[in-house]
Amino acid sequence: MTASAAGTKLTLRLPDDFHHHVRDGPKTAAVLKFASQRFGRCLMMPNTKPPIVSTELAIQYKQHITKAMPEGCTMEPIMTLYLTDNTSPEEIQKAHKEFGKYVACKYYPAGATTNSDAGVTDVKNLYPVIEEMQKVGMMLCIHSEVTHGDIFEREPAFLEEIMKPLVAKFPNLKITMEHISTKEAVDYVLASSDNMKASITCHHLLYNRNNLLVGGIRPHLYCLPILKAEKHRLALVEAATSGSNKFFLGTDSAPHSTDTKEAACGCAGVFTAHAAVELYAEAFDEAGKLEHLEAFCSSNGADHYGLPRNTKTITLEKKSWTVPSSFDFGDGKSVTPLRAGEEVLWSLV
């Protein structure tokens, strides 16, 4: 392991998170306080209950998020529309007119992950919508997994069955493959045009499926896409830390109450907002590539989304701290964070 000396400080342009879940109701304020300390902007996921399927609902959700932010917070929410089989091209026009570059659309294959039952059953149902998105320059964010076959092979299958035909039909569409988790996805993104880029989570950089399963199931590491074999984790680390502008920060921080994770049928999602940038620093430090951390966290994503880079900065220090065992979830329940009761090696100053 290549590591920087303890006490080293690192100042970065303020990062953005292009994949973040803040849920709804009182839970939003409970989890927003962590993101607001670390990010200039967050792309807000729309798989709430009910999902954000229209411009009107996106306006309401943005208002809710803004009201839930800590006093003095300047973090900007970027909204997403939840695509369904019934989304219309007119809705895309309406959203683009309302939000401009501060909007994207999220494609969940129906049943692929949390609150995705209302998602898309056949990508061809979306072709008129995607054509309009391509026309106005709107980003398509994709949960890139099919819903059939071996759970460890669903991302590569999506590339063949959905992604390649989609890109061939809409070559000018701006696409983010979110939370990629396999070497196949890394290779595909690297071979694609500049319209196609990918976000990578800190938990997919730091953990593999052994961490999830060996010695007993660890429900707070259960996510979708599921953690993969070590060869895939290493491919993700190489991609993220390489300096390539094809990859950027997207935490997919996805809080669930502890009781719904530690259940007979536990839900998918890893809560990382409390230490996200610090955990990315761990991964880059271990790879000996801290010099590429700022571009990955603070430039590549903003450039891909056509947004100005942040001008503020944050400072990290190579100083370990112990993560609390739980945090308040705002609804009378608790949420268990990644590394609960364990150390994180970098701190936010």
Side-chain angles (χ1 to χ4, degrees), residues 10 15 30 32-33 48 56 61 87 92 104 114 124 134 188 190 200 224 245 257 259 261 275 281 295 335:
L10 187 63
L32 256 180
K33 60 185 179 182
T48 51
E56 287 75 16
Y61 192 37
T87 304
I92 299 303
T114 303
K124 292 180 181 177
Q134 180 176 253
Y188 178 72
L190 285 172
I200 304 177
L224 292 172
N245 69 356
S257 60
D259 64 310
K261 291 288 289 178
V335 57

Side-chain angles (χ1 to χ4, degrees), residues 209-281:
R209 64 189 183 187
N210 280 359
N211 300 118
L212 172 67
L213 297 170
V214 172
I217 296 174
R218 293 166 176 79
H220 300 291
L221 280 174
Y222 173 56
C223 55
L224 292 172
I226 198 166
L227 297 173
K228 304 296 195 299
E230 177 68 358
K231 68 176 183 179
H232 297 295
R233 188 190 73 83
L234 292 175
L236 294 173
V237 171
E238 182 177 357
T241 65
S242 66
S244 169
N245 69 356
K246 300 280 280 184
F247 307 99
F248 55 88
L249 186 156
T251 65
D252 191 18
S253 178
H256 295 278
S257 60
T258 299
D259 64 310
T260 60
K261 291 288 289 178
E262 299 174 0
C265 186
C267 51
V270 178
F271 181 55
T272 58
H274 64 291
V277 181
E278 301 94 310
L279 290 166
Y280 281 109

